[in-house]
Amino acid sequence: MHRLRILVVDDEPQMHRFLGPALNAAGYEPLRAETGRQALAEIARRPPDAVVLDLGLPDVDGQEVLRMARAFYDGPIIILSARDREIEKIEALDAGADDYVEKPFRVGEMLARLRVIMRRQLRQAEAPPAVVHAEDLTIDIPRRLVTRAGEPVHLSPKEYDLLVKLAQADGKVLTHKDLLISLWGPAHVEDMQYLRVFIGQLRQKIEADPSAPRLILTQPGIGYRFMADEVTRAGG
């Protein structure tokens, strides 16, 4: 049986001693790189199924490794980030990273993030989402219909576009910049208040308790993530 190959890029030997056996026990084949140049050579030589990339590398900045890898590699990349480098997480997500995990982390969290992005990778080859279910909320994209507990939810066109953009991300964090550019255009990339207002309006309409949201989750300083229970594909 083919095991998915996960390339871990980190210059700390203890990280490989910690993460390698855990990946192996979970059914993955762990690969190892300790520098950015080594990682890029490995990705180019035989592309792994996913990459776990630390930003603090000794030879090439992790952000640059990410940008260079994205020129020829379209597989999932999870960023490892220290808690006090929030701006780097934002830059990495905007540059094409699929997710990030903060150091220190629990191995269970890393494995869960890997499972999510590997499922997302498989879905990308399938038809786009047609119907998204999240608790008692249903988003029927072809019909442009949103219901909650069977009752129609009346959304403005921009509220609907924002909700669909989040729902179609399959659990991926979408940065403020990504949402603002895709929904309002490049001229509004700094207009954070636009986004906060519309997120607040959406939560009022779709969350059971808008003050403690369970569907649209805030990633502080970074963006938002939509938590779907089930996704039905077109033609499925």
Side-chain angles (χ1 to χ4, degrees), residues 108-172:
E109 178 188 8
M110 173 61 75
L111 294 176
R113 298 291 181 89
L114 266 175
R115 287 193 297 270
V116 168
I117 66 169
M118 297 313 298
R119 286 197 299 268
R120 184 188 306 145
Q121 187 75 357
L122 290 174
R123 288 173 179 170
Q124 287 177 353
E126 302 173 353
V131 181
V132 178
H133 301 277
E135 297 188 351
D136 64 350
L137 185 76
T138 298
I139 308 167
D140 188 328
I141 296 172
R143 297 172 61 195
R144 291 186 66 88
L145 177 64
V146 179
T147 59
R148 183 177 167 200
E151 295 297 320
V153 178
H154 300 289
L155 301 176
S156 71
K158 192 63 72 176
E159 289 170 347
Y160 175 82
D161 290 345
L162 175 57
L163 179 60
V164 169
K165 176 78 173 176
L166 289 164
Q168 288 181 324
D170 273 343
K172 180 180 178 179

Side-chain angles (χ1 to χ4, degrees), residues 10-199:
D10 200 303
D11 65 326
E12 299 178 7
Q14 60 268 33
M15 180 60 66
H16 293 283
R17 289 195 297 267
F18 164 67
L19 199 49
L23 290 170
N24 189 62
Y28 299 107
E29 179 185 347
L31 308 174
R32 176 172 179 164
E34 297 180 357
T35 68
R37 292 187 182 90
Q38 184 183 354
L40 291 167
E42 181 69 21
I43 294 170
R45 183 183 67 83
R46 188 182 173 199
D49 294 290
V51 176
V52 177
L53 173 65
D54 183 38
L55 292 179
L57 298 173
D59 59 338
V60 182
D61 182 75
Q63 298 281 7
E64 185 62 20
V65 173
L66 172 62
R67 285 189 286 271
M68 294 171 71
R70 276 296 179 234
F72 60 89
Y73 176 71
D74 61 1
I77 298 178
I78 295 180
I79 294 297
L80 294 180
S81 172
R83 291 182 183 275
D84 60 349
R85 301 167 74 180
E86 190 169 274
I87 186 63
E88 293 199 355
K89 290 184 289 190
I90 298 171
E91 291 173 356
L93 289 165
D94 282 334
D98 291 85
D99 208 340
Y100 66 90
V101 174
E102 295 177 337
K103 286 185 172 182
F105 60 87
R106 296 181 182 274
V107 68
E109 178 188 8
M110 173 61 75
L111 294 176
R113 298 291 181 89
L114 266 175
R115 287 193 297 270
V116 168
I117 66 169
M118 297 313 298
R119 286 197 299 268
R120 184 188 306 145
Q121 187 75 357
L122 290 174
R123 288 173 179 170
Q124 287 177 353
E126 302 173 353
V131 181
V132 178
H133 301 277
E135 297 188 351
D136 64 350
L137 185 76
T138 298
I139 308 167
D140 188 328
I141 296 172
R143 297 172 61 195
R144 291 186 66 88
L145 177 64
V146 179
T147 59
R148 183 177 167 200
E151 295 297 320
V153 178
H154 300 289
L155 301 176
S156 71
K158 192 63 72 176
E159 289 170 347
Y160 175 82
D161 290 345
L162 175 57
L163 179 60
V164 169
K165 176 78 173 176
L166 289 164
Q168 288 181 324
D170 273 343
K172 180 180 178 179
V173 178
L174 296 181
T175 64
H176 300 129
K177 178 180 177 181
D178 182 18
L179 290 168
L180 284 164
I181 289 177
S182 63
L183 294 171
W184 283 277
H188 294 281
V189 70
E190 302 296 332
D191 293 335
M192 286 287 297
Q193 190 58 27
Y194 277 27
L195 190 53
R196 292 194 187 100
V197 167
F198 277 90
I199 289 290

